[in-house]
Short mmCIF file of all heavy atoms in Angstrom, two decimals:
data_model
loop_
_atom_site.label_atom_id
_atom_site.label_comp_id
_atom_site.label_asym_id
_atom_site.label_seq_id
_atom_site.Cartn_x
_atom_site.Cartn_y
_atom_site.Cartn_z
N ILE W 1270 29.58 72.50 -9.12
CA ILE W 1270 29.12 72.23 -7.72
C ILE W 1270 29.21 73.51 -6.90
O ILE W 1270 28.27 73.86 -6.18
CB ILE W 1270 29.98 71.11 -7.14
CG1 ILE W 1270 29.64 69.78 -7.77
CG2 ILE W 1270 29.67 71.04 -5.62
CD1 ILE W 1270 30.48 68.63 -7.32
N GLU W 1271 30.33 74.21 -6.95
CA GLU W 1271 30.49 75.43 -6.10
C GLU W 1271 29.47 76.49 -6.41
O GLU W 1271 28.92 77.18 -5.61
CB GLU W 1271 31.88 75.94 -6.15
CG GLU W 1271 32.90 75.11 -5.37
CD GLU W 1271 32.53 74.94 -3.90
OE1 GLU W 1271 32.19 75.95 -3.31
OE2 GLU W 1271 32.57 73.80 -3.43
N ASN W 1272 29.25 76.70 -7.76
CA ASN W 1272 28.30 77.71 -8.16
C ASN W 1272 26.89 77.35 -7.82
O ASN W 1272 26.11 78.26 -7.37
CB ASN W 1272 28.41 77.90 -9.72
CG ASN W 1272 29.67 78.57 -10.15
OD1 ASN W 1272 30.26 79.32 -9.43
ND2 ASN W 1272 30.15 78.21 -11.33
N VAL W 1273 26.50 76.11 -7.89
CA VAL W 1273 25.21 75.70 -7.50
C VAL W 1273 25.02 75.79 -5.99
O VAL W 1273 23.99 76.23 -5.50
CB VAL W 1273 24.91 74.23 -7.96
CG1 VAL W 1273 23.60 73.69 -7.40
CG2 VAL W 1273 24.90 74.12 -9.49
N LYS W 1274 26.06 75.49 -5.25
CA LYS W 1274 26.11 75.64 -3.80
C LYS W 1274 25.87 77.11 -3.44
O LYS W 1274 25.04 77.38 -2.55
CB LYS W 1274 27.44 75.15 -3.21
CG LYS W 1274 27.57 75.34 -1.69
CD LYS W 1274 28.92 74.82 -1.28
CE LYS W 1274 29.10 75.04 0.22
NZ LYS W 1274 30.47 74.58 0.65
N ASP W 1275 26.59 77.99 -4.11
CA ASP W 1275 26.36 79.45 -3.78
C ASP W 1275 24.94 79.92 -4.11
O ASP W 1275 24.46 80.76 -3.39
CB ASP W 1275 27.43 80.28 -4.59
CG ASP W 1275 28.82 80.07 -4.15
OD1 ASP W 1275 29.04 79.57 -2.99
OD2 ASP W 1275 29.76 80.40 -4.87
N PHE W 1276 24.39 79.36 -5.20
CA PHE W 1276 23.05 79.72 -5.59
C PHE W 1276 22.08 79.38 -4.47
O PHE W 1276 21.24 80.19 -4.04
CB PHE W 1276 22.69 79.01 -6.91
CG PHE W 1276 21.32 79.28 -7.38
CD1 PHE W 1276 21.02 80.39 -8.19
CD2 PHE W 1276 20.23 78.43 -7.02
CE1 PHE W 1276 19.73 80.63 -8.62
CE2 PHE W 1276 18.95 78.72 -7.45
CZ PHE W 1276 18.67 79.78 -8.24
N TYR W 1277 22.13 78.14 -3.98
CA TYR W 1277 21.19 77.68 -2.99
C TYR W 1277 21.48 78.24 -1.59
O TYR W 1277 20.59 78.27 -0.73
CB TYR W 1277 21.06 76.19 -2.97
CG TYR W 1277 20.14 75.70 -4.08
CD1 TYR W 1277 20.66 75.13 -5.24
CD2 TYR W 1277 18.75 75.84 -4.01
CE1 TYR W 1277 19.84 74.70 -6.28
CE2 TYR W 1277 17.92 75.45 -5.02
CZ TYR W 1277 18.51 74.84 -6.15
OH TYR W 1277 17.67 74.44 -7.20
N ALA W 1278 22.69 78.71 -1.34
CA ALA W 1278 23.00 79.36 -0.08
C ALA W 1278 22.14 80.60 0.10
O ALA W 1278 21.82 80.98 1.23
CB ALA W 1278 24.49 79.73 -0.04
N ASN W 1279 21.67 81.22 -1.01
CA ASN W 1279 20.79 82.42 -0.90
C ASN W 1279 19.49 82.04 -0.18
O ASN W 1279 18.98 82.83 0.57
CB ASN W 1279 20.46 82.92 -2.29
CG ASN W 1279 21.60 83.77 -2.84
OD1 ASN W 1279 21.80 84.93 -2.55
ND2 ASN W 1279 22.40 83.11 -3.69
N TYR W 1280 19.01 80.80 -0.45
CA TYR W 1280 17.75 80.38 0.22
C TYR W 1280 17.96 80.13 1.70
O TYR W 1280 17.15 80.57 2.56
CB TYR W 1280 17.17 79.15 -0.45
CG TYR W 1280 16.59 79.35 -1.79
CD1 TYR W 1280 17.34 79.39 -2.94
CD2 TYR W 1280 15.21 79.60 -1.91
CE1 TYR W 1280 16.81 79.59 -4.23
CE2 TYR W 1280 14.63 79.82 -3.18
CZ TYR W 1280 15.44 79.85 -4.31
OH TYR W 1280 14.87 80.07 -5.52
N LEU W 1281 19.09 79.49 2.04
CA LEU W 1281 19.35 79.20 3.42
C LEU W 1281 19.66 80.43 4.24
O LEU W 1281 19.34 80.57 5.41
CB LEU W 1281 20.51 78.16 3.58
CG LEU W 1281 20.21 76.82 2.92
CD1 LEU W 1281 21.30 75.81 3.28
CD2 LEU W 1281 18.86 76.21 3.32
N ASN W 1282 20.35 81.39 3.58
CA ASN W 1282 20.71 82.67 4.25
C ASN W 1282 19.49 83.61 4.31
O ASN W 1282 19.35 84.40 5.23
CB ASN W 1282 21.84 83.35 3.53
CG ASN W 1282 23.15 82.60 3.61
OD1 ASN W 1282 23.37 81.83 4.57
ND2 ASN W 1282 24.01 82.76 2.64
N GLY W 1283 18.64 83.48 3.28
CA GLY W 1283 17.51 84.46 3.18
C GLY W 1283 16.30 84.03 3.95
O GLY W 1283 15.48 84.91 4.35
N PHE W 1284 16.16 82.74 4.31
CA PHE W 1284 14.88 82.26 4.96
C PHE W 1284 15.16 81.53 6.22
O PHE W 1284 16.11 80.74 6.29
CB PHE W 1284 14.12 81.42 3.97
CG PHE W 1284 13.49 82.13 2.85
CD1 PHE W 1284 14.21 82.33 1.68
CD2 PHE W 1284 12.21 82.73 2.93
CE1 PHE W 1284 13.65 83.04 0.64
CE2 PHE W 1284 11.65 83.44 1.91
CZ PHE W 1284 12.37 83.59 0.72
N SER W 1285 14.34 81.76 7.21
CA SER W 1285 14.36 80.92 8.43
C SER W 1285 13.02 80.17 8.45
O SER W 1285 12.16 80.33 7.64
CB SER W 1285 14.48 81.85 9.68
OG SER W 1285 13.40 82.80 9.67
N ASN W 1286 12.92 79.26 9.47
CA ASN W 1286 11.67 78.45 9.60
C ASN W 1286 11.36 77.66 8.30
O ASN W 1286 10.18 77.59 7.94
CB ASN W 1286 10.48 79.33 9.99
CG ASN W 1286 10.71 80.14 11.27
OD1 ASN W 1286 11.24 79.63 12.23
ND2 ASN W 1286 10.31 81.39 11.26
N ILE W 1287 12.41 77.18 7.64
CA ILE W 1287 12.17 76.53 6.37
C ILE W 1287 11.57 75.18 6.54
O ILE W 1287 11.95 74.38 7.42
CB ILE W 1287 13.52 76.41 5.61
CG1 ILE W 1287 14.03 77.73 5.09
CG2 ILE W 1287 13.38 75.42 4.42
CD1 ILE W 1287 15.38 77.65 4.43
N GLU W 1288 10.55 74.91 5.72
CA GLU W 1288 9.94 73.57 5.60
C GLU W 1288 9.97 73.25 4.11
O GLU W 1288 9.17 73.83 3.35
CB GLU W 1288 8.52 73.53 6.15
CG GLU W 1288 8.49 73.70 7.62
CD GLU W 1288 7.04 73.67 8.16
OE1 GLU W 1288 6.24 72.94 7.51
OE2 GLU W 1288 6.70 74.43 9.07
N PHE W 1289 10.77 72.28 3.71
CA PHE W 1289 10.81 71.86 2.32
C PHE W 1289 10.29 70.43 2.25
O PHE W 1289 10.79 69.53 2.87
CB PHE W 1289 12.27 71.88 1.81
CG PHE W 1289 12.43 71.46 0.38
CD1 PHE W 1289 11.93 72.27 -0.67
CD2 PHE W 1289 13.03 70.26 0.03
CE1 PHE W 1289 12.03 71.84 -1.99
CE2 PHE W 1289 13.14 69.87 -1.31
CZ PHE W 1289 12.64 70.64 -2.28
N THR W 1290 9.18 70.25 1.41
CA THR W 1290 8.50 69.00 1.39
C THR W 1290 8.42 68.50 -0.05
O THR W 1290 8.13 69.26 -0.96
CB THR W 1290 7.08 69.14 1.92
OG1 THR W 1290 7.08 69.66 3.21
CG2 THR W 1290 6.38 67.74 1.92
N VAL W 1291 8.84 67.26 -0.26
CA VAL W 1291 8.63 66.62 -1.56
C VAL W 1291 7.21 66.02 -1.52
O VAL W 1291 6.94 65.06 -0.85
CB VAL W 1291 9.64 65.50 -1.84
CG1 VAL W 1291 9.34 64.80 -3.15
CG2 VAL W 1291 11.06 66.10 -1.85
N VAL W 1292 6.31 66.69 -2.28
CA VAL W 1292 4.89 66.30 -2.31
C VAL W 1292 4.74 64.95 -3.08
O VAL W 1292 4.04 64.07 -2.70
CB VAL W 1292 4.05 67.38 -2.96
CG1 VAL W 1292 2.56 66.97 -3.04
CG2 VAL W 1292 4.20 68.71 -2.20
N ASP W 1293 5.48 64.86 -4.23
CA ASP W 1293 5.43 63.64 -5.02
C ASP W 1293 6.70 63.57 -5.85
O ASP W 1293 7.30 64.59 -6.18
CB ASP W 1293 4.21 63.67 -5.95
CG ASP W 1293 3.89 62.34 -6.53
OD1 ASP W 1293 4.49 61.32 -6.08
OD2 ASP W 1293 3.05 62.24 -7.49
N VAL W 1294 7.09 62.33 -6.16
CA VAL W 1294 8.32 62.17 -6.92
C VAL W 1294 8.22 60.84 -7.67
O VAL W 1294 7.76 59.86 -7.15
CB VAL W 1294 9.60 62.19 -6.07
CG1 VAL W 1294 9.59 61.12 -5.04
CG2 VAL W 1294 10.85 62.12 -6.94
N PHE W 1295 8.61 60.85 -8.95
CA PHE W 1295 8.60 59.62 -9.68
C PHE W 1295 9.67 59.73 -10.81
O PHE W 1295 10.20 60.77 -11.05
CB PHE W 1295 7.23 59.36 -10.34
CG PHE W 1295 6.70 60.47 -11.18
CD1 PHE W 1295 6.96 60.56 -12.53
CD2 PHE W 1295 5.91 61.47 -10.61
CE1 PHE W 1295 6.49 61.57 -13.32
CE2 PHE W 1295 5.39 62.50 -11.36
CZ PHE W 1295 5.66 62.61 -12.72
N GLY W 1296 9.98 58.61 -11.44
CA GLY W 1296 11.09 58.65 -12.39
C GLY W 1296 10.97 57.60 -13.49
O GLY W 1296 10.13 56.66 -13.38
N GLN W 1297 11.81 57.73 -14.47
CA GLN W 1297 11.92 56.77 -15.53
C GLN W 1297 13.32 56.80 -16.03
O GLN W 1297 13.82 57.85 -16.45
CB GLN W 1297 10.91 57.04 -16.64
CG GLN W 1297 10.94 56.02 -17.79
CD GLN W 1297 9.90 56.28 -18.89
OE1 GLN W 1297 9.37 57.34 -18.94
NE2 GLN W 1297 9.68 55.31 -19.69
N GLY W 1298 14.00 55.71 -16.04
CA GLY W 1298 15.41 55.67 -16.48
C GLY W 1298 16.24 56.54 -15.54
O GLY W 1298 16.22 56.40 -14.33
N ASP W 1299 16.97 57.48 -16.14
CA ASP W 1299 17.78 58.39 -15.38
C ASP W 1299 17.16 59.78 -15.13
O ASP W 1299 17.78 60.72 -14.71
CB ASP W 1299 19.18 58.60 -16.02
CG ASP W 1299 18.99 59.29 -17.39
OD1 ASP W 1299 17.87 59.43 -17.88
OD2 ASP W 1299 20.08 59.55 -18.02
N LYS W 1300 15.86 59.83 -15.36
CA LYS W 1300 15.09 61.10 -15.18
C LYS W 1300 14.12 61.02 -14.00
O LYS W 1300 13.52 59.99 -13.76
CB LYS W 1300 14.33 61.43 -16.49
CG LYS W 1300 15.24 61.64 -17.69
CD LYS W 1300 14.42 61.91 -18.94
CE LYS W 1300 15.33 62.07 -20.14
NZ LYS W 1300 14.58 62.35 -21.39
N ILE W 1301 14.05 62.14 -13.29
CA ILE W 1301 13.18 62.22 -12.11
C ILE W 1301 12.28 63.47 -12.23
O ILE W 1301 12.79 64.54 -12.73
CB ILE W 1301 13.99 62.30 -10.84
CG1 ILE W 1301 14.75 60.97 -10.61
CG2 ILE W 1301 13.09 62.59 -9.62
CD1 ILE W 1301 15.77 60.98 -9.41
N VAL W 1302 11.06 63.43 -11.82
CA VAL W 1302 10.20 64.59 -11.72
C VAL W 1302 9.79 64.70 -10.30
O VAL W 1302 9.33 63.80 -9.64
CB VAL W 1302 8.94 64.46 -12.62
CG1 VAL W 1302 8.03 65.70 -12.48
CG2 VAL W 1302 9.35 64.23 -14.07
#
């Protein structure tokens, strides 16, 4: 968890005016695309 948190902190520290959109999402069982 902490390592993944540090990884994505690069995006939040590196970019402003962020717009993150899930265009489409679907799944089967325990898997998601």
Side-chain angles (χ1 to χ4, degrees):
I1270 292 176
E1271 285 303 314
N1272 290 330
V1273 172
K1274 177 181 178 181
D1275 290 343
F1276 178 87
Y1277 280 103
N1279 283 279
Y1280 285 87
L1281 300 188
N1282 294 332
F1284 290 88
S1285 57
N1286 305 317
I1287 289 177
E1288 293 180 32
F1289 180 71
T1290 305
V1291 176
V1292 180
D1293 194 13
V1294 60
F1295 54 91
Q1297 182 176 15
D1299 62 354
K1300 297 178 181 178
I1301 296 174
V1302 178

